[in-house]
């Protein structure tokens, strides 16, 4: 059955052995909640388990949502509502001599949205519940085993939950990863980083306010509701995570770094933490997958953690659903592509955030000279700057393409204006979108919406290009000229039907 917006997966059937559910998702952070919502919306029986009791924490570390993540939320009908909860920042100054301008990003969302993580979780949890996912809070995973047919999640008290697949989205201390016995190589990049949510008597003249002396780092960001997130670090004050944080400590670092403490007061949250750079070697172990912080962790520079995790989930969810519904020519190859596409991204995020942080911490003349040279390159060469911004915001990330494929294959698609409406509105149906010129023969194919380029064309692609766009907004196949045989082969490969 199909709706006017595309295929209806509510009554999709899955093949295979009888299990308690199709997919168990472990962890109710943003990554797990987006994944559970996607799976349930695709008709996949999904149970999410979370050891925390019911009720979302309202004080969390993450606070920045980048453009690519907002596009993915737009494809789920959530972006505009989330934008209303925060403050869009169209530019910032990571160093005194470098200004980053986001307004030219080729996206509907040319900014970074500053909003608390709990707002992201609130919207994703609501969507998951409405889609039919079963959320079990107060349920701790204590064991895990798997066989050729599925995985068994063992919970506190000895309960067991069988599933065809299991996804560990349970954070940096992932129980799923530990139970699999997978290594998590890497080490600490920074210690005794302090976070605080406070009120200010004086608003900074430039927001966000950021600075570094080499021995200190300070960042002040507004949430847009009168609260400010302060992040600071002092090389001379390296304390364990358990050591309490006082306002005097924060005032001293802000004054040394930015020249004032802005009259900070009334803290609602204070925390001290350290950051590691680590990545699991494999994102898949037979019937079990890892996503988000369970698979990779890195420095806070660039605010990439929450975004990378959500993009992991958006990549994995439709592939799991397709494998379970039999909607792929080679389900195992499709599931393996999750690691092939996302592991390099995680590795690059670790490198990028680590470089930015090390440059901010640079105290010796050689490193500070490197920082000045890099900043000079970015200022003098706008194309280099645009490419760097595109990578950090996610809109420039491309997945590997097969040899001989169209150059656009694997790239993210901007929000094209089509005769049938905006592309990301069409993607809300959860299927593929085929974009062709208006004169092309109509295509009726299960799980595919056929749309036409609008005249005149919008976006960065010529309007005579035929595009098969994946559910995660990536180009699966493209041709500059009509290619019926190529399209048939692509449809068979990606949907399992000729």
């Amino acid at each position: 059955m199909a709706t006017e917006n595309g295929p209806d997966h509510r009554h999709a059937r899955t093949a295979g052995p009888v299990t308690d559910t199709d997919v168990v998702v472990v962890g109710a952070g943003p990554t797990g909640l987006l994944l559970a919502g996607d799976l349930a919306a695709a008709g996949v029986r999904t149970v999410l388990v979370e050891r925390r009791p019911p009720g979302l924490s309202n004080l969390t570390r993450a606070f920045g949502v980048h453009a690519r993540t907002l596009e993915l939320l737009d494809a789920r009908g959530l972006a505009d509502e989330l934008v209303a909860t925060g403050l869009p920042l169209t530019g910032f100054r990571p160093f005194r001599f470098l200004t980053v301008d986001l307004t030219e990003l080729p996206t509907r969302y040319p900014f970074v949205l500053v909003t608390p993580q709990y707002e992201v979780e609130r919207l994703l949890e609501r969507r998951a519940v409405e889609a039919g996912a079963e959320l079990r809070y107060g349920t701790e995973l204590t064991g895990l085993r798997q066989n050729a047919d599925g995985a068994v999640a063992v919970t506190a008290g000895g309960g067991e939950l069988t599933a065809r697949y299991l996804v560990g989205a349970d954070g940096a201390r992932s129980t799923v990863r530990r139970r699999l016995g997978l290594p998590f190589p890497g080490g600490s990049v920074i210690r005794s980083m302090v976070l605080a949510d406070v009120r200010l008597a004086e608003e900074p003249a430039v927001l966000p306010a950021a600075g570094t002396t080499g021995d200190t780092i300070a960042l002040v960001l507004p949430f847009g509701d009168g609260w400010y997130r302060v992040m600071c670090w002092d090389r001379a004050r390296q304390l364990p995570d358990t050591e309490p944080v006082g306002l005097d400590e924060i005032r001293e670092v802000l004054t040394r770094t930015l020249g004032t403490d802005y009259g900070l007061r009334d803290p609602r949250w204070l925390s001290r933490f350290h950051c590691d750079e680590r990545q699991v070697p494999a994102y898949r172990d037979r019937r079990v997958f890892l996503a988000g912080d369970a698979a990779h962790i890195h420095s806070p520079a660039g605010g990439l953690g929450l975004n990378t995790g959500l993009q992991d989930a958006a990549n994995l969810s439709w592939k799991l659903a397709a494998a379970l519904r039999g909607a792929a020519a080679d389900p195992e190859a499709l599931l393996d592509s999750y690691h092939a596409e996302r592991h390099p991204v995680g590795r690059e995020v670790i490198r990028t955030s680590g470089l930015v942080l090390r440059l901010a911490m640079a105290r010796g003349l050689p490193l500070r000279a490197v920082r000045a040279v890099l900043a000079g390159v970015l200022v003098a060469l706008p194309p280099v700057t645009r490419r760097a911004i595109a990578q950090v915001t996610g809109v420039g990330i491309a997945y590997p393409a097969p040899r001989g494929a169209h150059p656009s294959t694997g790239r993210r698609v901007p929000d094209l204006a089509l005769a049938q409406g905006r592309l990301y509105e069409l993607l809300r149906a959860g299927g593929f979108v085929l974009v062709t010129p208006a004169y092309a023969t109509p295509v009726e194919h299960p799980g595919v919406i056929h749309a036409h380029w609008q005249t005149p064309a919008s976006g960065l692609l010529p309007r005579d290009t035929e595009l098969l766009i994946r559910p995660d907004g990536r180009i699966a196949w493209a041709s500059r000229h009509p290619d019926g045989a190529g399209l048939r082969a692509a449809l068979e490969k990606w949907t399992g039907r000729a």
Side-chain angles (χ1 to χ4, degrees), residues 183-198:
F184 204 35
S188 180
V189 62
I190 191 170
R191 296 187 178 277
S192 202
M193 181 71 77
V194 170
L195 292 181
D197 285 354
V198 298

Side-chain angles (χ1 to χ4, degrees), residues 77-86 109 113 115 119 122-123 126:
L78 300 175
D80 291 343
E81 187 175 355
L82 183 66
V83 170
T85 70
Y109 305 99
L113 178 68
T115 191
E119 294 288 3
R122 176 180 62 82
L123 296 180
R126 185 189 70 198

Side-chain angles (χ1 to χ4, degrees), residues 2 6-7 9 325 327 431-432 443-449 491 495-498:
H9 300 308
R325 294 199 309 265
F432 285 75
V443 174
E444 294 185 6
H445 194 86
V448 178
I449 296 174
L491 289 171
T495 71
R497 296 184 178 94

Side-chain angles (χ1 to χ4, degrees), residues 96-350:
R96 286 194 301 271
F97 41 76
L98 179 63
T99 299
V100 175
D101 180 11
L102 302 177
T103 57
E104 295 185 4
L105 278 174
T107 175
R108 184 181 175 87
Y109 305 99
F111 50 80
V112 57
L113 178 68
V114 179
T115 191
Q117 179 177 315
Y118 62 79
E119 294 288 3
V120 180
E121 292 179 348
R122 176 180 62 82
L123 296 180
L124 291 175
E125 182 189 48
R126 185 189 70 198
R127 172 176 178 263
V129 171
E130 290 176 350
E134 180 183 350
L135 275 55
R136 299 184 185 180
Y137 286 97
T139 303
E140 182 178 3
L141 181 83
T142 58
L144 170 65
R145 63 182 186 271
Q146 57 179 320
N147 53 43
D149 295 324
V152 179
V154 181
T155 59
E160 292 189 350
L161 185 61
T162 63
R164 301 280 301 283
Y165 296 99
L166 183 145
V167 182
D170 49 342
R173 298 183 178 88
S174 170
T175 299
V176 174
R177 188 187 63 244
R178 294 200 310 268
R179 293 298 180 184
L180 289 173
L182 294 176
F184 204 35
S188 180
V189 62
I190 191 170
R191 296 187 178 277
S192 202
M193 181 71 77
V194 170
L195 292 181
D197 285 354
V198 298
R199 301 279 192 183
L200 299 182
E202 172 192 351
E203 182 174 287
V206 177
L207 288 170
T212 175
T213 67
D215 288 322
T216 61
I217 299 172
L219 174 68
V220 180
L221 278 163
F223 282 122
D225 59 357
W227 289 97
Y228 292 79
R229 167 64 54 82
V230 176
M231 179 183 296
C232 61
W233 173 79
D234 185 351
R235 190 187 301 274
R237 191 174 176 82
Q238 298 294 288
L239 302 173
D241 293 353
T242 54
E243 189 71 18
V245 178
L247 284 185
D248 287 342
E249 176 183 356
I250 302 174
R251 290 190 180 103
E252 197 270 338
V253 175
L254 288 181
T255 302
R256 285 170 57 194
T257 311
L258 302 176
T260 177
D261 65 7
Y262 302 108
L264 68 88
R265 56 183 170 80
D266 302 334
R268 66 177 180 179
W269 184 53
L270 298 165
S271 177
R272 190 187 308 276
F273 69 101
H274 73 279
C275 286
D276 288 352
E277 293 176 330
R278 299 182 183 275
Q279 186 179 30
V280 70
Y283 283 13
R284 181 187 185 188
D285 184 330
R286 294 170 289 167
R287 292 277 173 168
V288 180
F289 299 82
L290 294 171
D293 288 353
H296 47 76
I297 53 175
H298 48 82
S299 94
L304 301 176
L306 176 146
N307 295 275
T308 307
L310 288 175
Q311 291 166 35
D312 287 346
N315 182 288
L316 178 59
S317 60
W318 71 271
K319 295 175 180 179
L320 278 171
L324 286 163
R325 294 199 309 265
D330 188 342
E332 289 302 307
L334 182 63
L335 293 175
D336 283 341
S337 73
Y338 167 64
H339 168 87
E341 292 179 344
R342 294 305 299 172
H343 192 274
V345 174
R347 183 172 61 244
E348 187 60 30
V349 165
I350 291 172

